[in-house]
Structures are given as C-alpha cells and as structure tokens.
Amino acid sequence: MENGVSEDLSDSIQRPESSDNDQRVYFVPLRWWKETNDSVAEEESDGKKGVLYTAAQASSSYASPMKLINTMFSSDLLLNLRGEEDGSSPNGCENNEVGVSGRDFALVSGEMWVKALKWHSDAKLSTKKTKTFLAAEDDMSDVYPLLLRLSVQPESSSLGVKITKKDNGPEFFRRANKIFTADSEMLRIWDFSEQTALLSMLGQCRSPKDSPRQSDEEVILELQVYGLSDNTKSREGKNGAAQYSNGTYSSAPLMNGMNGSVSTGMFRSSSAIFGRSSEVGSLGLTGLQNLGNTCFMNSAIQCLAHTPKLVDYFLGDYCREINHHNPLGMDGEIALAFGELIRKLWAPGAGSVNPKTFKSKLGRFAPQFSGFNQHDSQELLAFLLDGLHEDLNRVKSKPYVEAKDGDGRPDSEVADEYWRNHLARNDSIIVDICQGQYKSTLVCPICKKVSIMFDPFMYLSLPLPSTSIRTMTLTIISTDGSIPPATCTISVPKFGKFEDLIQALTASCSLGDDETLLVAEVYNNRILRYLEDPSDSLTLIRDGDRLVAYRLKKDFSSNGPLVIFMHQHVEEFANVRQFIHGKQTSTMKPFGIPLVGEGSVSFNGSDIHKLYLKLLAPFQRPTDGIPDQIADSKSITLSEESTEHYQKDNDEATERQDNSACSSGTAPDDSPLDAELDFYLTDEKGFLKDSKIVTDEQVPITGARRWFFVIACWAGKQMEKQYDTSRLSTLPEVFKSGSFAKRPQESVSLYSCLEAFLKEEPLGPEDMWYCPGCKEHRQASKKLDLWRLPEILVIHLKRFSYTRYLKNKLETFVDFPTDDLDLATYISYKNGQTSHRYVLYAISNHFGSMGGGHYTAFVHHGGDQWYDFDDSHVHPVSQDKIKTSAAYVLFYRRVEV
C-alpha cells in the first residue's frame, strides 16, 4: 500500500473487495449496542469489553475547533482518538450511565451488528405480542458509509482521524461534522471490532527512526453508520440526547434528499462497498438468482433461511460443531456452503445472491441435483436437512444400539428408550428443532401379532384425500346378444381404485345380483389388457384409452371358458400397374370391437358359428319390420322396458330369418351368409391362425383355460350388407377433452390430510412385513400415531404421484391454518409438552404442471406482512393471497402457551 503501510494490515482494515464475508465495521450508538442483552454482547465480543477511545478535535487550519457552521464549509475534519487504559468497560462512564448523553458510540463487526439488530427486533415484537420472530422493518434506520483516514501517532499513543468532503461527499461530510464536532460533552468510542487495535499494534512496533514521514501514513477505514441519521438535529433535555425510541435511535432520515419516514420493509443505503448508491431490501429480504432451473433450490433455501433458531445458529459460531469424522457426513462442506449462503442472505444491504458455490457443492455430494434439470424442492429439502444434520452431528463416535420391541411394556417407557437411543447417535441443531417421533403399530392378519416401534421423523408427508372427481366413459356390451351396446359415463374419484370404477358401473348399469363385469382395454381391434385387480389405481387408465365392460354371469366359469371373437374382413387394393392391367389384390384386415361370449364345456364348429351370430345380432342393419333399436343405443343406461322390447323384436327377426330359410328348402347353416364366414383358433393378439374350425368337428381346446380366442373372417360382402361395421368399430375414449364442463375445484382441510396419514391401512404387496410370529412375510395392517412433535414442523403435501405409465400432479386446494394449527387432538401422548399449537411462517409453492412448473416461496417477515420470494425478485404479498393450490411444503413453528 501507499506510504509504506504493511500489506497484512491493509488487507484487514481497508475496504473489502466484496460483501461475501461481512468484514464491514459499524458505528452505532453505545446505548443501542448495550441494550442488546449482555449475554449476546459478551458472546459476540469473545469476552472482551472493547477498547475505549476519547475523541478530541485536532488543531488544524482546515477546521474551526468549536463552531459547527465553520466546519460545514471546511474540506477536512481532524480528530485525535486517545486510548484510555482505565476505561476498558463501558460501565466506566460517569454515573455508570451508558450513552445517555448521546456522545458514546461503539464500533462493532458486521456479524455483531446483525445479531444486535435481530435481538432488538425480537425484543420489540415480543413486547407487542406479535407472531413473528424476524427483524421488523419499522425499526430500520438508514445505514450509510463514512470513509475515515487513520494514521498512527506512536509518541502520543493515539490515532489520527481525517474525514474529508472529497472522500464522502457533501451530505455525508455534513453528517460526520454533526456527529464528531466537539461541544461541551466528551465523545467516547468503544471499539469491539478490534480494527483500531491492529493499527495501534503496528504503531507500537515501530520506532521513531523508522520513517521521518510516519505521521503522514494513512489507512482507509470504511464505517457503516447506523442509528445516527441526522441525530444531532433532534436534541432533548439538558444533555442533548438524540431521540431514542424502542431500543433504536430514530430521526427523519434523508430519502432522495428530502426528510421523510422510512417506508416499511425498505431502508436507504449508499454503501461505497458496492461502488454506488443503491436502495436495498430490509434485513433478510434478499433474493436468490436463478442459475437455470434452480427455482426448486431457491424456494427451499428461502424457507430454511427464515427458520427461527436455524438462522441464529448459522449467523453464530457454527463452525465449531462441524463433524469432520462422520462417515455419513460430507466433511462439513455442505454445512459451510449453506452457512455462507445464509450469511449472504442476511448481510445488511445485500442485493440478490448468486448461489453458485452452494449449487456446486450440492451437485458434488448429491449428483441427482447436478446439472440444470428441474427437481423437487421437497427432495432437496430432505437431502439438505439430513446432510446438515450429519455435518453438524455432535456425536463423534456413534454407539451401537439395538431396537427392541415393547414386549408389553408401557408405551411411554418404550418411546423414551427409542428416543434416548436416537439421541445417543444423533445430536445436532437439526435434531434439536426439526425432529419429532411417531408411533408405528403393525398387526399380523393371521396370528394377530402386534409390533410397536417408535421412529423419528424430520417432516410429515401427508396424502391428499381423493376428493377430485374424474369423468370416465365406457362401452357396455352384453355377452349373449340380448341388448345393444351402450355408452356409460360415470364419475369416480380421480385418484381412486379400480373397485371404485366397478361400483359406479354396477350402479349405473343396474347390474343384477347374478351379474358381473369384465373390464378390458381395447387397442388395435384386440383386447390389450384386463382390469381385474380391485386395488389398482385409476391413474393407470389414461383419458385416451378405450374401455369395454362385458356383462357376464357370475358363474360363467362353471359353464366353460369364454370365447373371445376378433374380426377380419376383406380389404381390396390395387397399385398403378395392377389397375392398368385390371388386376386387384385383397387381404384380410382386423376391424371392430372384440366380442365375448359365454361358452360350454365342449364346442364344435356349429356352436361357434351360432354363438358368433348371436353376439352380432345387436349390430344388424334395420330391415322392413325390424325396428332400429340400435339407433337408440346411445342412452346412458338401458331400462328394463327397453331391454324387453329389444329382446322381443330380436326374437321376431330371428324367427323370420329361420322361416325364410326353411321355406326355400335351405338349412340355416347353408345360407349364403354362412358361406362367407370362416373361423380360426388364434392367440390373444390375433396374429396367428392355428387351425380352421370345421362345422361338425370339436374345437381342439386343451387344458383348463378361462378363455380362448377365435378369428371370424368375413370372406365376402354379404356380411357387411347385413351388419353395420361402423357401429361395431365405434368405441369412445375414456375422456374427450372439451366434452364436459370443467368441474369447480374441490378442497380439503389440512386436518383431513393428517387424518388420512394417521388412518390404519393394509401394507401394499410390495411392502410385506416379516411377522416374527408366523415366520413369514405378511400383508399386515399399519397404523401411525404422532408421539413427539418438534419445534419446527415441516409438512409435505404429496401432490406428485408416479406410476409405471405416467406422472401426475394433484391440484387439490388444501385449506391450511396460518395462525393456529392445533394438533392437541392428534398427539397420542402429551410427553410433558405444554403446547401443540403452531403458526405458519413459510410455504414452498409449485405452480404449473409436472414438466413445466415453477417454484416460489412465501415467507412471513414482520407483523402481518408476507413476502413472495420468486428467485431474485422479492415483493410483499397480502396474507389472503398465500393460500393457493400451489402450496407444496408448509413450515410451522411452535407457539409456547
């Protein structure tokens, strides 16, 4: 540096290059600093009481010694700071009164200032009995920079201070004159930042012969002045104290050159540390830049960055608790990266923060979050909380503990044992505030063995009850040709089970007690799959699927296998050369809906033929004397009267055909229609023709089979003249977009979600439990109960569902309490906790669909004010706007009674 000052000293005192680590020094009223509770003050100053300096105005040709009006027009203000050996404690002030005169000040580090500011805010808010824990914006005065030039004067054990108009500008120089100009009262400064001590040590280490121009050596120190905005303008009483209210010096700060009050949530800063004047958000109202699809990360971090005690922890000396020996941890790197990010977000005067370093660490230890794909904020939150816990685990050597069953002991005794075992291996700030305990009860359905365990939880993942309704359209087809096909539109729970579909169809079709339904998906003129498992989710059925429900007798299997008919007809085509020569070729092409008929124990070709024509009867084209029953087949359900009417007409038509055939001397089987029908055994896909079915021969069916497949080949045009192939091929989709009016959005309460989470239910086939009684895996019933609640309760709403075929998002609106979440009725054991009430303080939101959504965060920040954190943009949002169907993760804090 210039003038020979050592590089080491200049690095520690000169203005920092960036605000990443808050190295700034704050100049504050001593009374404001001391009103921070003594334990915080002492902790932050590491037990040091500070170095006391008394200030006197130096003789100078540049400034009149006493008159403010003269110094206002001078270019420099010169002071001498003399160290006082007997005044190391602020309590050494006269009459043991600190800062009453308004002439006692303190120098504190940026970290100490943030803690003190937050303590004052908490004290004021608790006095007002508000529901927040963060800094209140109405307590914020403006912060402005002041550039000082310091020089060491070894011969007098003092520091020379020069404040120039050139360095600071006219306005800040005017303010400096009002603060430092001598009057009848002594000006005293306590340095808790240790910055001036470094400079004094340098002066003591030099001898007078080191440099003839030693007194001219200068080091630049930038102060951030807080709580003294134009304070000398407002004098009260004989001591001339600055106005002081609610723990903060207050006055009318200058905004844009005019006197006025500071708007709520914002304060004015002209910090030269950024190289320019800029208006910045209040403490903690700092956005995070989006690095490319990192909104999921920003949302989760903002919620954690406004979590009580967690913020205090990472603004303090958390590094001492980093566990470098934990094999499950990340050598403290995630904790350090997160802590550094929290400090940036809470640095005074910070703009939007670039989380590049944290993102890099995250991708290194969790490769699933590397790159720039969109991810789930809850999954990130789960990893981050677990990673922070392991990095900060106070247990250096985890003892081995074995989980024991209750064996009839009282639940309270077993629960406490489990909790002690858990704390023996896990002890961190995350466990302190975020972990609770629930009771898990498993009951074997065979031997009734009961197993009770008590497990910790970091958050609750609550299901959303299926209140949303889905409209589905299916085609109902009889298996005896007695009634025409009909479309049936039903309403089912959007995320219900297949049994819900069957129940709705049974009611809509007026199904008889002796009837059942076989539901199948038809694709490319064949049955693709059968929907028979009642526990299957309806999300497996897509809107574009085409479903058929075949009406069967319940005892159909006792009569023999089902016959499933697929259809093929002749399709002629010709290319250019064939057309010129008058030649055409033909091929058999599949068409129509597969038909299902109930068979018998033994079949011959004639039985197959008669069964097929019986099933085709509803698709006959209308002829003279035969009513067009099919034209009325679009009704939702068929009444008994219409069914009987159709059956009567169908019988008459069949009798008419038989009589016509007999009068011509031709047997029914020898009609021209029969000559065009050929039947072949095939596989379920209809690709192979194993063997032709001959009229008088038995059908070669081997083994016990539920059904077998037959291809009916229409060899000529006579069949298509008599039967309507367009009706046979018409099959509507499950749901046609725009066919139905959109239903109003339904809502559920958060309590309903909690009750669904705590409801007893059987385990799934993939989650079988090994029963120690049966010595086998069983599909046991499981019941969860809340046992021990944490101070910070994180609730994850399970909006996203994943199946083999698709991903889905629930848009259900969840009505959650904001001021009074009362869990007293849901806790199984009070466990000495005096309160089970919670208030909401943050929400992680997901707007949009699975593929193209966006994450934001709503955060409670002072009084009744909420803020919307949308990446780098932060703006107020009214409380009545925070409840949306986008709420994904809710953050609650316990309220002590």
Side-chain angles (χ1 to χ4, degrees), residues 548-562:
V548 176
Y550 299 97
R551 296 182 70 151
L552 298 166
K553 298 294 182 181
K554 282 187 176 179
D555 59 349
F556 72 91
S557 58
S558 61
N559 299 327
L562 295 176

Side-chain angles (χ1 to χ4, degrees), residues 643-681:
T643 302
E644 292 175 359
H645 185 57
Y646 171 81
Q647 184 65 49
K648 179 180 178 181
D649 290 334
N650 189 47
D651 292 343
E652 291 176 357
T654 304
E655 183 179 355
R656 220 174 264 159
Q657 288 178 339
D658 293 343
N659 292 337
S660 175
C662 292
S663 64
S664 64
T666 306
D669 292 344
D670 296 330
S671 65
L673 205 63
D674 302 329
E676 292 189 357
L677 277 177
D678 292 321
F679 298 94
Y680 297 87
L681 290 177

